[in-house]
Amino acid sequence: MKKTRNTLHLLALAVVACLTVVPASADIGVKFLGTATGGDLSPAIAEAVSDSGVDVNGFACFELPLIDLETGHQRGVGVDCLNVFDDGGDVHGAGLQIEAKTFFFLPQGLIVNHGCTSVRPAFMGVGDAGTTHITGSIPPGEFGGPSGGPGPAICQETEGVVLTTGGFANQTGEVRLSGAVNLSNVGAGEITFSCLFLLDLHPRAR
């Protein structure tokens, strides 16, 4: 009987462990939602960004809650660090090209993604009246073609998940962005975000 109890106890511990460990592959969907001012980070988050070793010198960093797409509850804290490298005078028309380093502080650990995104004026009268621009970023090779292609080298060299810690350690992956922003007060350093991030994680190749 004692041996049976011990066996059941071990099985229970194994089940708990399986429930608390991040799976080998994970799809995470969060919304980066609210209004933030560049550089106005809470002390603990600012320290965590610095301690990550990811270089955000010259970037404007915005901190907002990360809202879980399934539950609607806050799942963590996001920091979107942005560096504008295009003034909009390109062949694609009005808009901006931005290098982004995005930090996802989640209960299981930290995920940092590096990539580039385009920001284009929204059609007036379409969607939310508070939207001034539409933004998006698609992982390389999403349409079955080769990664890279025309565009700044800065967007091609290290695009994708560049750092994972805690329960996400030894994982890599891609991040897809689809969102809207209000840049009407960007001159004061303030941006309103309504951005969806889809994170596709998988074990890093050994």
Side-chain angles (χ1 to χ4, degrees):
M1 180 66 71
K2 184 177 180 180
K3 183 176 180 181
T4 300
R5 285 199 300 267
N6 289 339
T7 301
L8 291 174
H9 180 65
L10 290 173
L11 286 173
L13 290 177
V15 169
V16 171
C18 289
L19 291 175
T20 56
V21 172
V22 176
S25 296
D27 292 324
I28 299 171
V30 290
K31 180 182 286 189
F32 188 71
L33 183 65
T35 301
T37 301
D40 188 18
L41 303 183
S42 59
I45 291 296
E47 182 177 2
V49 169
S50 177
D51 290 345
S52 73
V54 176
D55 184 11
V56 293
N57 185 40
F59 287 68
C61 296
F62 300 82
E63 175 186 344
L64 284 172
L66 292 175
I67 307 302
D68 188 275
L69 293 184
E70 292 187 1
T71 66
H73 299 145
Q74 183 172 350
R75 182 168 180 173
V77 174
V79 176
D80 206 13
C81 296
L82 308 176
N83 174 38
V84 178
F85 61 84
D86 174 26
D87 63 2
D90 59 73
V91 296
H92 301 294
L96 301 172
Q97 293 184 36
I98 296 176
E99 179 188 8
K101 296 181 180 181
T102 309
F103 296 72
F104 302 89
F105 292 98
L106 301 170
Q108 301 96 326
L110 169 64
I111 303 168
V112 181
N113 184 72
H114 174 250
C116 292
T117 180
S118 61
V119 181
R120 303 289 171 182
F123 286 108
M124 299 306 296
V126 177
D128 191 288
T131 298
T132 64
H133 290 72
I134 300 297
T135 182
S137 180
I138 300 173
E142 181 79 5
F143 291 101
S147 61
I154 197 171
C155 299
Q156 303 173 32
E157 294 173 354
T158 57
E159 192 165 17
V161 172
V162 295
L163 176 68
T164 52
T165 70
F168 302 115
N170 300 319
Q171 301 221 5
T172 186
E174 298 77 36
V175 176
R176 185 186 185 104
L177 161 65
S178 178
V181 293
N182 187 319
L183 300 181
S184 60
N185 204 27
V186 72
E190 182 181 279
I191 299 177
T192 298
F193 297 83
S194 179
C195 296
L196 304 180
F197 288 96
L198 301 178
L199 293 74
D200 181 15
L201 301 179
H202 47 81
R204 190 181 302 276
R206 296 184 179 275

